[in-house]
Amino acid sequence: MRTSPPSSSPLRPTKKSLFFWAVKGNLKIQFLLLLIIVAMVFFRVLPLEMQKRIINESIYLGKFDSLLLYCGIYLLAVTATAGMKLATNYLQVVISERAMVAMRKELYGHIINLPLWFFRNTQPGMVVASLMTELNTAGVFAGMAIAVPISNILTLLAFAAYLLWLNPPLALATLAIYPVVAFLIPYLQKKANRLNKQRVDQSRLISNQIAESITGVTEINVHGAYGQEKRKFDRLVEALRRIRTRWSLLRFSIKTVNNYFSSLGPFVVFLFGGYLVMNGQLELGSLVAFLSAQEKLYDPWKELIEYYQVFQDASVRYYRTMQYFDLPAEHDEALTDKPTSELNGNLEVRNLTYTTTTGTTLLKGVSFSLRAGENLALIGFSGSGKSTLINCIAKMFDYSSGSILLDGREIKDVSKKEIIHHVGYISQQPFIFSGTLRENLLYAHQAKTETAPINDGAYQEPELDQLILSLQHVGMFVDVVHFGLNRFLSDEDSEMMSRIVRIRKQFRINYGHSLEKYIEFYHKDRYLLYAEIVENIIFGAPVKKSLPLSSLHKHPEFRRFLDERNLTEDLLSFGVKLVYKFLNLLANPDGLEEVNDALPLSPEQVEKYQSIVTHLGENVPNQLPADEQTLLLGLALQFAPSPYKIATIPPDLEAKILQARKKWPQWSKKIFPEAFNSFADTRYILGQSILNNILQGRMKTEHAHAQEEINQNIIRLLIEEDLLEAIAEIGMTYHLGSMGNSLSGGQKQKLAIARVLLKNPKIILMDEATSALDNKSQARIQNLIAHRWRGNKTVIAVVHRLDSIREFDKIGVMKAGKLMEFGTYDELIKQNGLLSELVFGK
């Protein structure tokens, strides 16, 4: 279901006070807190009176019944106080967490609506630190903003009143200390605040430096600029150290002053109170109660001082953070329910000029017009202003002068919401978000729909056919099917499993003979040359992640199985043979290039294997230390003869492995119940991907032609079994990793184009959006522009390949920010101008 767009607030979050967040949405909890606090103050004073009465009326007069009564009341009071203190702490945490979430939500919503120029001058690390670190203290303060001062002020007043009731002169003498403290602490706190502001600013600089260095780590590595970057960082952290040292000294000074003057209270009570007791002017029980009250008076005072310090720290961090982001949002109207107008796609640019804030002019009097449905190719040298023009039309850059008219309307008067609805933008390096392929594909469509006028209140996701069609148009459908084929099914997918088994059978019948050159099909009586030794023994797949094949050799029960089949000694000997081969390769300078392809190990492990050779001497492998035997066993079990040409498996070892394979299923069921599945023609193998279940074999080659032929054959069978769409849907759940790192550059561009297609805008802007695509994929996109979109969508494409511009309706040639030539391809070629020079090099 789609929720209503958030209503725009008359006051942006950066203008809201720190106390606003303590109250927003928390009034009922705050009221409950006040009730608990009032009751808690009463129960905190009650034990003091009980102390006095226990000494004066029970112990002194020897009344045991009153002793029990007063002790009972005392116990009830301290128990109630403890319970209510726990309740107040919990409610403060609830308010704090609510406030922190509200702050982050509103500030994040505000930040992502800020103008693009702001982000060009702001490091991502600074934004992250502000949202996740700097607001923490403000959130904690919001929880205590009302409860702590009221609670402690009421407690202070109650204790002070009780002291005055016990003995006014003694009470006035002890309370006289606090005005001095109330003067000194704010004086020291002002100095601490100045340093705290410097600390926040310096921490921000360090966050920016870290983010910049990590982002540019490739450049640092290429140039070897490690020293330069370290010196920059060292200077910043040293400055922060000096600031934090002085700031911490002042904070400790505040605590020391407070503790010192609070410790003077008992001194006054002992001296003056003792004198009053000696002279019969004060009862002993009253003196004890007075001492307890005076001691307890320190607790609320201490909490008020801590509250004051937290308030000052939170204020500095909060207002410093809010001040940094205190800019008007650029496109608030994008969230309103105002309906969008229809757009045909007519575009006119008149005398357009764009000058940066530094005074550099990137566009100089650009003028042209396109009718709805026409397409334009923009070409020119790097830095000629092509991308800047695209960004101005997309309303991402606010041009300096001139006009851009959409259907006769000045684009500055067109709301961002209408741009969202009618304009699609594809960049050269599109950003792919973390999440699934489906979420990224729906990204633009969902954003468009969420800003649409609310009719039925429900978000209608496109049909699966629409998603598939958009992927097919850009040539990414086969990739998505491949993602789906590499996923794993669960126990609940029994119907699909049985259909996959049918496809496997048909795949072997139809294509088994022709694809033997590419695939080594599994056969229960045949040794698999493209599989590791451990896979040949298991002849199946682990179902439990806790028993991966790569570490099975470390499991004592598996070692026992090898011992019982007389395989351990042979595998250790074979492991030694592999080590010698590996070390000989390393010793031969001409063989170094073969090392990585020779064995499933790396040169970093050389020392370990050299140590094994040293320990061998006259010994046999099974006399080596246990850890070295395990290393050798793992090396042997990971060996596959066809990928790693360094050695062949001895015939007698191969025979033993095949004999062990026959015993493994029954043995593993007893020792590892339901942990392994054995390969079988009639059963789906959990723990294997859908693709491996269809192939039921190992690939012999990674050649693109082989992969393409196999994929085409599998797709045919999926269509026959009516499973193609289901596999594609599974493929759309593929997680793309951080910023789409699991996709290639070409796949990212295809996905970006597909999500704009799904959005179905009237105007499409492409900023070298096909630069990472191969020739076949580029031709597919060009066909979209020239045929499917012509007459239906207005397209402006920055093009880097001149052989693709012939079929565009219009060509624009830019140079140094000016549109030098504009017209059809044939017209511009006849002029024998810049286009002719670029195309023919004349």
Side-chain angles (χ1 to χ4, degrees):
M1 295 292 290
R2 187 184 73 183
T3 57
S4 301
S7 58
S8 57
S9 173
L11 191 67
R12 57 177 177 256
T14 54
K15 295 293 187 184
K16 294 175 181 177
S17 73
L18 188 52
F19 285 91
F20 169 86
W21 307 103
V23 177
K24 181 188 178 185
N26 295 310
L27 281 175
K28 290 182 180 179
I29 300 178
Q30 295 285 14
F31 181 72
L32 177 61
L33 259 178
L34 288 177
L35 294 179
I36 295 174
I37 286 167
V38 171
M40 188 168 62
V41 169
F42 171 76
F43 282 107
R44 290 180 77 172
V45 176
L46 187 59
L48 302 176
E49 179 64 17
M50 292 304 102
Q51 286 183 29
K52 186 187 81 171
R53 295 190 180 192
I54 286 170
I55 293 174
N56 291 343
E57 297 179 18
S58 299
I59 297 176
Y60 185 72
L61 299 177
K63 295 181 177 180
F64 185 71
D65 55 343
S66 66
L67 177 65
L68 290 177
L69 174 65
Y70 294 146
C71 285
I73 296 173
Y74 183 95
L75 180 62
L76 175 66
V78 295
T79 303
T81 301
M84 286 185 281
K85 183 66 175 175
L86 177 62
T88 57
N89 286 340
Y90 173 73
L91 292 177
Q92 284 178 225
V93 169
V94 171
I95 294 171
S96 171
E97 292 300 320
R98 284 185 172 187
M100 201 177 306
V101 167
M103 271 187 257
R104 283 176 176 157
K105 283 182 177 179
E106 288 201 27
L107 183 57
Y108 179 75
H110 174 72
I111 289 171
I112 59 176
N113 271 288
L114 291 178
L116 287 177
W117 63 260
F118 173 82
F119 297 100
R120 288 195 289 271
N121 300 315
T122 301
Q123 289 286 353
M126 187 268 161
V127 179
V128 173
S130 297
L131 282 168
M132 301 307 300
T133 304
E134 298 301 336
L135 289 182
N136 278 349
T137 310
V140 170
F141 174 76
M144 59 194 298
I146 296 175
V148 170
I150 291 178
S151 170
N152 289 290
I153 288 171
L154 287 178
T155 303
L156 269 176
L157 293 175
F159 283 163
Y162 184 71
L163 290 175
L164 289 168
W165 180 70
L166 285 175
N167 191 286
L170 183 57
L172 291 173
T174 56
L175 293 175
I177 297 170
Y178 292 95
V180 180
V181 183
F183 169 77
L184 280 176
I185 287 179
Y187 172 76
L188 294 172
Q189 188 65 52
K190 284 182 181 179
K191 293 181 175 292
N193 285 351
R194 284 197 293 270
L195 288 171
N196 196 15
K197 289 178 182 178
Q198 295 177 30
R199 180 191 64 81
V200 171
D201 292 342
Q202 191 67 20
S203 298
R204 191 174 288 164
L205 286 175
I206 292 174
S207 296
N208 289 345
Q209 176 62 40
I210 294 170
E212 183 178 276
S213 297
I214 298 304
T215 305
V217 71
T218 302
E219 202 71 15
I220 295 169
N221 199 293
V222 166
H223 297 293
Y226 313 110
Q228 297 174 44
E229 294 301 314
K230 187 176 184 303
R231 285 192 295 274
K232 279 193 240 176
F233 183 78
D234 289 352
R235 283 195 297 270
L236 290 172
V237 294
E238 278 297 319
L240 180 62
R241 178 190 62 79
R242 291 191 293 271
I243 293 169
R244 285 186 63 89
T245 301
R246 297 199 301 273
W247 176 60
S248 298
L249 177 61
L250 282 169
R251 292 178 69 208
F252 294 144
S253 298
I254 292 169
K255 289 185 178 180
T256 302
V257 167
N258 184 47
N259 291 339
Y260 174 74
F261 280 99
S262 297
S263 300
L264 291 179
F267 168 77
V268 174
V269 173
F270 284 131
L271 183 63
F272 190 26
Y275 171 79
L276 293 176
V277 171
M278 290 178 189
N279 287 275
Q281 299 177 28
L282 186 69
E283 295 173 330
L284 182 61
S286 297
L287 179 62
V288 172
F290 205 99
L291 278 169
S292 296
Q294 201 281 331
E295 182 181 354
K296 290 182 179 298
L297 192 66
Y298 174 65
D299 291 335
W301 178 257
K302 179 183 176 183
E303 287 191 29
L304 280 174
I305 296 298
E306 290 177 353
Y307 169 83
Y308 178 71
Q309 285 188 303
V310 171
F311 169 64
Q312 294 296 328
D313 188 24
S315 295
V316 169
R317 291 177 181 232
Y318 176 78
Y319 291 110
R320 210 68 168 174
T321 297
M322 293 301 185
Q323 182 183 25
Y324 189 85
F325 298 107
D326 191 21
L327 295 167
E330 192 171 26
H331 304 299
D332 284 335
E333 78 279 1
L335 300 176
T336 66
D337 290 335
K338 182 181 177 181
T340 58
S341 59
E342 292 298 321
L343 187 71
N344 295 319
N346 295 298
L347 178 68
E348 184 177 0
V349 177
R350 296 178 182 171
N351 199 30
L352 191 70
T353 300
Y354 176 77
T355 303
T356 67
T357 54
T358 59
T360 304
T361 301
L362 300 180
L363 292 178
K364 304 170 185 177
V366 175
S367 298
F368 67 91
S369 65
L370 291 175
R371 293 193 303 272
E374 285 190 317
N375 52 60
L376 165 67
L378 283 177
I379 64 173
F381 297 104
S382 178
S384 60
K386 305 183 298 294
S387 296
T388 304
L389 177 58
I390 289 279
N391 285 319
C392 287
I393 297 171
K395 206 174 178 179
M396 289 193 288
F397 288 0
D398 191 8
Y399 47 91
S400 308
S401 63
S403 295
I404 300 176
L405 303 176
L406 291 179
D407 285 357
R409 296 172 59 199
E410 175 63 48
I411 199 171
K412 287 185 177 180
D413 299 328
V414 178
S415 70
K416 181 64 175 179
K417 177 180 174 182
E418 291 181 273
I419 298 294
I420 291 170
H421 275 249
H422 298 307
V423 178
Y425 177 85
I426 310 160
S427 68
Q428 181 179 3
Q429 296 179 323
F431 192 90
I432 303 300
F433 294 89
S434 301
T436 66
L437 189 145
R438 185 189 193 97
E439 290 166 346
N440 274 276
L441 183 60
L442 289 169
Y443 193 79
H445 178 274
Q446 189 171 356
K448 173 183 175 179
T449 310
E450 286 180 350
T451 57
I454 298 174
N455 298 317
D456 57 4
Y459 166 61
Q460 296 296 327
E461 190 171 291
E463 297 290 332
L464 179 61
D465 289 346
Q466 293 176 265
L467 303 184
I468 290 175
L469 186 61
S470 66
L471 293 167
Q472 285 176 331
H473 280 328
V474 300
M476 198 178 179
F477 180 67
V478 173
D479 294 320
V480 175
V481 170
H482 184 69
F483 295 151
L485 288 170
N486 280 285
R487 301 306 295 271
F488 294 79
L489 296 180
S490 62
D491 294 324
E492 293 78 22
D493 302 314
S494 57
E495 171 61 25
M496 183 173 282
M497 288 180 190
S498 62
R499 296 168 75 180
I500 294 296
V501 171
R502 287 201 298 269
I503 290 175
R504 173 202 297 164
K505 181 180 178 181
Q506 203 60 43
F507 181 80
R508 190 71 66 92
I509 293 170
N510 292 357
Y511 311 112
H513 180 70
S514 63
L515 293 178
E516 278 187 342
K517 57 182 177 293
Y518 301 139
I519 304 171
E520 181 182 40
F521 292 106
Y522 296 153
H523 192 288
K524 64 178 182 178
D525 298 322
R526 187 184 304 159
Y527 190 89
L528 305 173
L529 297 175
Y530 285 84
E532 297 174 355
I533 290 178
V534 66
E535 292 176 291
N536 270 284
I537 295 173
I538 304 302
F539 197 67
V543 179
K544 295 182 178 179
K545 293 182 179 179
S546 57
L547 288 170
L549 296 186
S550 59
S551 59
L552 199 57
H553 64 282
K554 300 176 183 178
H555 200 289
E557 291 295 341
F558 183 70
R559 291 285 296 270
R560 185 165 65 85
F561 174 80
L562 296 179
D563 290 341
E564 291 172 357
R565 304 296 173 274
N566 298 316
L567 271 171
T568 305
E569 189 172 340
D570 288 349
L571 288 171
L572 287 174
S573 298
F574 187 64
V576 170
K577 178 182 177 181
L578 293 176
V579 167
Y580 277 115
K581 293 272 190 179
F582 175 67
L583 294 178
N584 286 336
L585 268 181
L586 284 178
N588 180 8
D590 296 330
L592 288 178
E593 293 182 3
E594 304 174 30
V595 169
N596 291 334
D597 297 327
L599 280 175
L601 45 79
S602 63
E604 288 77 14
Q605 297 172 301
V606 172
E607 288 187 12
K608 293 180 181 178
Y609 293 107
Q610 285 177 334
S611 174
I612 290 175
V613 171
T614 303
H615 289 164
L616 268 173
E618 300 296 327
N619 298 322
V620 293
N622 59 13
Q623 293 177 334
L624 288 169
D627 59 333
E628 293 186 353
Q629 287 190 41
T630 301
L631 196 64
L632 282 174
L633 198 58
L635 177 62
L637 287 169
Q638 291 174 44
F639 180 77
S642 282
Y644 308 116
K645 307 294 185 181
I646 193 173
T648 57
I649 297 179
D652 57 335
L653 176 57
E654 183 177 312
K656 285 184 178 181
I657 290 170
L658 291 176
Q659 287 299 318
R661 178 191 293 178
K662 295 177 181 178
K663 301 292 183 182
W664 171 261
Q666 186 177 359
W667 187 89
S668 63
K669 283 180 182 178
K670 294 180 182 177
I671 308 301
F672 303 120
E674 299 181 357
F676 293 91
N677 271 334
S678 297
F679 295 136
D681 292 338
T682 58
R683 185 174 66 248
Y684 189 92
I685 309 302
L686 288 171
Q688 290 268 293
S689 68
I690 297 173
L691 177 62
N692 286 345
N693 265 281
I694 293 174
L695 295 181
Q696 197 77 301
R698 297 296 297 264
M699 292 292 297
K700 295 181 179 180
T701 176
E702 297 294 330
H703 196 278
H705 174 72
Q707 295 281 355
E708 186 176 353
E709 185 176 342
I710 291 168
N711 287 340
Q712 288 175 352
N713 293 335
I714 290 176
I715 287 174
R716 287 193 195 99
L717 294 175
L718 290 172
I719 293 172
E720 290 175 11
E721 190 65 38
D722 195 25
L723 265 182
L724 185 62
E725 288 188 358
I727 297 296
E729 190 167 19
I730 293 172
M732 289 183 202
T733 64
Y734 177 62
H735 280 265
L736 305 182
S738 176
M739 296 185 289
N741 283 337
S742 29
L743 295 181
S744 67
Q747 287 172 328
K748 289 179 182 179
Q749 286 193 334
K750 289 178 185 178
L751 181 55
I753 297 170
R755 69 184 174 196
V756 169
L757 282 180
L758 194 64
K759 175 182 173 179
N760 194 28
K762 291 296 291 184
I763 296 176
I764 296 179
L765 306 174
M766 305 175 70
D767 188 4
E768 296 199 43
T770 61
S771 58
L773 300 184
D774 55 56
N775 292 338
K776 186 177 180 180
S777 298
Q778 288 216 20
R780 185 188 290 270
I781 303 303
Q782 185 58 41
N783 183 62
L784 271 179
I785 298 172
H787 298 99
R788 298 190 65 88
W789 292 349
R790 177 170 282 152
N792 181 36
K793 300 181 187 302
T794 305
V795 179
I796 302 178
V798 175
V799 178
H800 70 288
R801 290 186 54 172
L802 298 180
D803 59 352
S804 65
I805 66 175
R806 280 180 175 272
E807 296 188 50
F808 280 86
D809 295 321
K810 298 290 173 62
I811 312 294
V813 185
M814 297 195 67
K815 183 178 181 181
K818 295 181 180 181
L819 184 63
M820 306 300 293
E821 295 179 359
F822 183 83
T824 67
Y825 181 85
D826 292 336
E827 289 171 350
L828 297 186
I829 290 296
K830 287 178 182 178
Q831 291 178 13
N832 201 27
L834 280 176
L835 178 62
S836 181
E837 181 182 337
L838 288 168
V839 172
F840 302 112
K842 296 179 180 178

Coordinates of all heavy atoms in Angstrom, one line a residue, residues 167 169-171 173-174 265-284 286-288 290-291:
N167 N 15.8 22.7 61.1 CA 16.6 23.7 61.8 C 16.9 24.8 60.8 O 17.9 24.7 60.0 CB 17.8 23.1 62.4 CG 18.5 24.1 63.4 OD1 19.1 25.1 63.0 ND2 18.4 23.8 64.7
P169 N 18.5 27.8 61.0 CA 19.9 28.4 60.9 C 20.9 27.4 60.3 O 21.7 27.8 59.4 CB 20.2 28.6 62.4 CG 18.9 28.8 63.0 CD 18.0 27.8 62.3
L170 N 20.8 26.1 60.7 CA 21.7 25.1 60.1 C 21.5 24.9 58.6 O 22.4 24.8 57.8 CB 21.6 23.8 60.9 CG 22.5 22.7 60.4 CD1 24.0 23.1 60.6 CD2 22.2 21.4 61.3
A171 N 20.2 25.0 58.2 CA 19.8 24.8 56.8 C 20.4 25.9 56.0 O 21.0 25.7 54.9 CB 18.3 24.7 56.6
A173 N 22.9 27.8 56.6 CA 24.4 27.7 56.6 C 24.9 26.7 55.6 O 25.9 27.0 54.8 CB 24.9 27.3 58.0
T174 N 24.2 25.6 55.4 CA 24.6 24.6 54.4 C 24.2 24.9 53.0 O 25.0 24.7 52.1 CB 24.0 23.2 54.8 OG1 22.6 23.3 54.9 CG2 24.5 22.7 56.1
G265 N 29.5 20.6 52.6 CA 28.2 20.5 53.3 C 28.3 19.8 54.6 O 27.9 20.3 55.6
P266 N 28.8 18.5 54.6 CA 28.9 17.8 55.8 C 29.8 18.5 56.8 O 29.6 18.4 58.1 CB 29.6 16.4 55.4 CG 29.2 16.3 53.9 CD 29.1 17.7 53.4
F267 N 30.9 19.2 56.4 CA 31.8 19.9 57.3 C 31.0 20.9 58.1 O 31.1 21.0 59.3 CB 32.9 20.6 56.5 CG 33.7 21.6 57.2 CD1 34.6 21.2 58.1 CD2 33.4 23.0 57.1 CE1 35.4 22.1 58.9 CE2 34.1 23.9 57.8 CZ 35.1 23.5 58.7
V268 N 30.1 21.7 57.4 CA 29.3 22.7 58.1 C 28.3 22.0 59.0 O 28.1 22.5 60.2 CB 28.5 23.5 57.0 CG1 27.6 24.5 57.7 CG2 29.5 24.3 56.1
V269 N 27.7 20.9 58.6 CA 26.8 20.2 59.5 C 27.4 19.7 60.7 O 26.9 19.8 61.9 CB 26.1 19.1 58.7 CG1 25.2 18.2 59.7 CG2 25.2 19.6 57.6
F270 N 28.6 19.0 60.6 CA 29.3 18.5 61.7 C 29.7 19.7 62.7 O 29.5 19.5 63.9 CB 30.6 17.8 61.3 CG 30.3 16.4 60.7 CD1 30.9 16.1 59.5 CD2 29.5 15.5 61.4 CE1 30.7 14.8 58.9 CE2 29.3 14.3 60.8 CZ 29.8 13.9 59.6
L271 N 30.2 20.7 62.1 CA 30.7 21.8 63.0 C 29.6 22.6 63.7 O 29.5 22.7 64.9 CB 31.6 22.8 62.1 CG 32.2 24.0 62.9 CD1 33.2 23.4 63.9 CD2 32.9 24.9 61.9
F272 N 28.7 23.1 62.9 CA 27.6 23.9 63.4 C 26.5 23.0 64.1 O 26.0 23.3 65.2 CB 27.0 24.7 62.3 CG 26.0 25.8 62.7 CD1 26.0 26.3 64.0 CD2 25.0 26.2 61.9 CE1 25.1 27.3 64.4 CE2 24.1 27.2 62.3 CZ 24.2 27.7 63.6
G273 N 26.2 21.9 63.4 CA 25.2 21.0 64.0 C 25.6 20.4 65.3 O 24.8 20.2 66.2
G274 N 26.9 20.0 65.3 CA 27.5 19.4 66.5 C 27.4 20.4 67.7 O 27.0 20.0 68.8
Y275 N 27.6 21.7 67.4 CA 27.6 22.7 68.4 C 26.1 22.8 68.9 O 25.9 22.9 70.1 CB 28.0 24.0 67.8 CG 27.8 25.2 68.7 CD1 28.7 25.5 69.8 CD2 26.7 26.1 68.5 CE1 28.4 26.6 70.6 CE2 26.5 27.2 69.3 CZ 27.3 27.4 70.3 OH 27.1 28.5 71.2
L276 N 25.1 22.8 68.0 CA 23.7 22.9 68.4 C 23.3 21.7 69.3 O 22.5 21.9 70.2 CB 22.8 23.0 67.2 CG 23.0 24.3 66.3 CD1 22.2 24.2 65.0 CD2 22.6 25.5 67.1
V277 N 23.7 20.5 68.9 CA 23.4 19.3 69.7 C 24.0 19.4 71.1 O 23.3 19.1 72.1 CB 23.8 18.0 69.0 CG1 23.7 16.8 69.9 CG2 23.1 17.8 67.7
M278 N 25.3 19.9 71.2 CA 26.0 20.0 72.5 C 25.2 21.0 73.4 O 25.3 20.8 74.6 CB 27.4 20.4 72.3 CG 28.3 19.4 71.6 SD 30.0 20.1 71.4 CE 30.6 18.7 70.4
N279 N 24.6 22.0 72.8 CA 24.0 23.0 73.6 C 22.5 22.8 73.7 O 21.7 23.7 74.1 CB 24.2 24.4 72.9 CG 25.6 24.9 73.2 OD1 26.0 25.5 74.2 ND2 26.5 24.6 72.2
G280 N 22.0 21.6 73.3 CA 20.6 21.2 73.5 C 19.6 21.9 72.6 O 18.4 21.9 72.8
Q281 N 20.2 22.5 71.5 CA 19.3 23.2 70.6 C 18.9 22.4 69.4 O 18.1 22.8 68.5 CB 20.0 24.5 70.0 CG 20.4 25.5 71.1 CD 21.2 26.6 70.6 OE1 21.1 27.0 69.5 NE2 22.1 27.2 71.5
L282 N 19.4 21.1 69.3 CA 19.0 20.2 68.2 C 19.1 18.8 68.7 O 20.0 18.4 69.4 CB 20.0 20.4 67.1 CG 19.7 19.6 65.8 CD1 18.5 20.2 65.1 CD2 20.9 19.7 64.8
E283 N 18.0 18.0 68.4 CA 18.0 16.6 68.8 C 19.0 15.8 68.0 O 19.2 16.1 66.8 CB 16.6 16.0 68.6 CG 15.5 16.7 69.5 CD 14.1 16.2 69.2 OE1 13.9 15.9 68.0 OE2 13.3 16.2 70.1
L284 N 19.4 14.7 68.6 CA 20.4 13.8 67.9 C 19.8 13.2 66.6 O 20.4 13.1 65.6 CB 20.9 12.7 68.8 CG 21.9 11.8 68.2 CD1 23.2 12.5 67.8 CD2 22.3 10.7 69.2
S286 N 17.4 14.5 64.9 CA 17.3 15.5 63.8 C 18.6 15.7 63.1 O 18.7 16.0 61.9 CB 16.8 16.8 64.5 OG 15.5 16.6 65.0
L287 N 19.7 15.6 63.9 CA 21.1 15.8 63.3 C 21.3 14.7 62.3 O 21.9 14.9 61.2 CB 22.1 15.8 64.4 CG 23.6 16.0 63.9 CD1 23.8 17.3 63.2 CD2 24.6 15.8 65.0
V288 N 21.0 13.4 62.7 CA 21.2 12.3 61.8 C 20.3 12.5 60.5 O 20.8 12.3 59.4 CB 20.8 11.0 62.4 CG1 20.8 9.8 61.4 CG2 21.8 10.7 63.6
F290 N 19.3 15.3 59.4 CA 19.9 16.5 58.7 C 21.1 16.1 57.8 O 21.2 16.5 56.7 CB 20.3 17.6 59.7 CG 20.3 18.9 59.1 CD1 19.3 19.8 59.4 CD2 21.4 19.4 58.4 CE1 19.3 21.1 58.8 CE2 21.4 20.6 57.8 CZ 20.4 21.5 58.0
L291 N 21.9 15.2 58.4 CA 23.1 14.7 57.7 C 22.7 13.9 56.4 O 23.2 14.1 55.4 CB 24.0 13.8 58.6 CG 24.9 14.6 59.5 CD1 25.5 13.6 60.5 CD2 26.0 15.2 58.7

